[in-house]
Amino acid sequence: KEGDMVKEMDNVCAVESDKASVELTSPYTGKVVKVHHKVQDVVKVGSVLIEVEVAGGAGGAPAAPAAAPAAAAKPADSAPAAGVKTFKLADIGEGIAEVQLTEWFVKEG
């Protein structure tokens, strides 16, 4: 749900197509701020599933000063930067263009 904490590699949701059933894991550690689909929704590849607010510098504080010049060159796209990250349905292969969302492991609101 919004406000749920999620860690990198935690299961976020389960989706299935006519060819496969897959559990998707979070690429981020942070707080879920938005869930974009409901169970049984048909979701197209590339659609946003959730938004996760990540904390800047968490666990990587020693590397932050060295990353600062790179962050200046690439504002907002730097991995250690705080902010809201979107987790999109990636291409899962075999020509699958859309899947049905069958279960959320994180919930909204």
Side-chain angles (χ1 to χ4, degrees):
K1 67 183 175 189
E2 290 181 1
D4 273 1
M5 295 305 292
V6 65
K7 292 181 182 171
E8 187 175 345
M9 300 306 294
D10 280 356
N11 285 341
V12 172
C13 64
V15 297
E16 72 179 36
S17 70
D18 57 342
K19 297 180 180 183
S21 180
V22 180
E23 290 183 356
L24 303 178
T25 58
S26 176
Y28 308 115
T29 296
K31 180 172 68 171
V32 176
V33 293
K34 178 81 175 150
V35 174
H36 285 268
H37 300 280
K38 296 179 289 212
V39 170
Q40 302 304 316
D41 280 359
V42 173
V43 182
K44 294 187 180 303
V45 168
S47 295
V48 175
L49 294 170
I50 61 172
E51 294 176 15
V52 178
E53 182 178 15
V54 297
K74 294 182 180 180
D77 285 340
S78 177
V84 176
K85 304 288 186 181
T86 56
F87 174 36
K88 297 181 181 181
L89 178 62
D91 183 358
I92 53 179
E94 299 186 26
I96 297 169
E98 60 188 23
V99 295
Q100 185 174 38
L101 192 107
T102 57
E103 184 177 2
W104 279 113
F105 302 115
V106 295
K107 298 180 182 74
E108 184 173 14

